[in-house]
Amino acid sequence: MKRKWKSGRTAGMIVALVVFLAVGMTACGQEDSPGQRTQTGEAQSAEAQTGGEQIANPFTDCADLQEAEEIAGFSITIPEKLSADYTELTYRAIEGELIEVIYRQPGQEDEIRIRKAIGEGDISGDYREYGIVETAEEESSGAQVTMKGEDKESEERQAAIWENDGYAYSLTTDQGIDRQELIKILQTIQ
């Protein structure tokens, strides 16, 4: 009798050890998901840092600009195309708040994002530190535009932020746009 009890106890201990090791190996094999980094430097994660709760994506993907404008409740004027390279456009909106248009080069990671929102302030979502931050007046509207660039020696800028007629605007890119070309683009956005 004692022998059966010991082998039953031993079998139970082996099962418990196997379960413990399996759980431990599974937990060790999982990598913490650092989230996605957007073109604008934002860290995006499917889960909140506290409690593992899902964060709702506020953006609605839209079939075209008209749908984005209907969702946001206002219109935006944008360049039809920025250059021959940026031929893919994505339209997104946050209901009653914001329109975002993303220009992409096919097969490339570079994006140019244009945003317009009701209100004021920096709506770019770009939290990078820049080597140069300058303010210029946009001629057609008189708006003060803050342009940011990574390199003080370069004429390229990666971000522009401005306000006009009760709306906040931003244009961001990783690759950078020549300062004079950027000003021309900004004059077409309303």
Side-chain angles (χ1 to χ4, degrees):
M1 233 28 210
K2 286 185 180 182
R3 191 169 200 192
K4 285 185 179 180
W5 181 79
K6 280 187 177 181
S7 79
R9 183 176 177 195
T10 303
M13 289 178 68
I14 290 173
V15 168
L17 181 60
V18 168
V19 169
F20 176 78
L21 288 174
V23 169
M25 288 173 54
T26 302
C28 290
Q30 293 178 345
E31 294 181 21
D32 290 340
S33 176
Q36 297 177 332
R37 185 175 171 89
T38 69
Q39 167 274 335
T40 59
E42 292 175 85
Q44 293 182 336
S45 173
E47 295 183 0
Q49 293 296 321
T50 57
E53 299 172 11
Q54 290 287 334
I55 297 175
N57 180 357
F59 284 98
T60 300
D61 292 330
C62 303
D64 55 28
L65 184 58
Q66 182 179 351
E67 182 182 0
E69 290 174 336
E70 289 172 6
I71 290 169
F74 54 89
S75 63
I76 184 172
T77 302
I78 56 169
E80 194 168 309
K81 67 180 187 176
L82 295 175
S83 74
D85 297 335
Y86 292 88
T87 57
E88 295 178 1
L89 276 80
T90 301
Y91 305 97
R92 302 183 338 157
I94 298 176
E95 188 171 352
E97 293 182 32
L98 183 138
I99 296 171
E100 177 178 67
V101 181
I102 305 169
Y103 296 80
R104 289 189 181 92
Q105 297 181 41
Q108 302 292 319
E109 291 185 25
D110 186 37
E111 301 175 334
I112 296 175
R113 292 175 183 262
I114 296 174
R115 290 181 173 181
K116 178 180 181 178
I118 297 170
E120 56 188 38
D122 183 350
I123 61 166
S124 69
D126 185 348
Y127 303 107
R128 294 178 287 183
E129 301 251 344
Y130 286 96
I132 186 165
V133 177
E134 62 183 342
T135 303
E137 185 173 316
E138 195 277 309
E139 291 178 19
S140 63
S141 69
Q144 295 295 310
V145 180
T146 300
M147 292 185 282
K148 300 177 182 183
E150 293 175 353
D151 185 358
K152 291 181 182 181
E153 304 302 316
S154 172
E155 284 293 310
E156 289 194 340
R157 302 295 179 257
Q158 283 74 27
I161 300 145
W162 71 102
E163 299 169 2
N164 193 23
D165 292 332
Y167 291 96
Y169 297 84
S170 70
L171 182 148
T172 56
T173 181
D174 282 335
Q175 298 298 320
I177 300 173
D178 177 77
R179 184 181 184 282
Q180 295 304 317
E181 183 64 27
L182 179 58
I183 290 170
K184 289 178 189 175
I185 293 170
L186 299 181
Q187 291 173 345
T188 67
I189 302 170
Q190 294 181 348

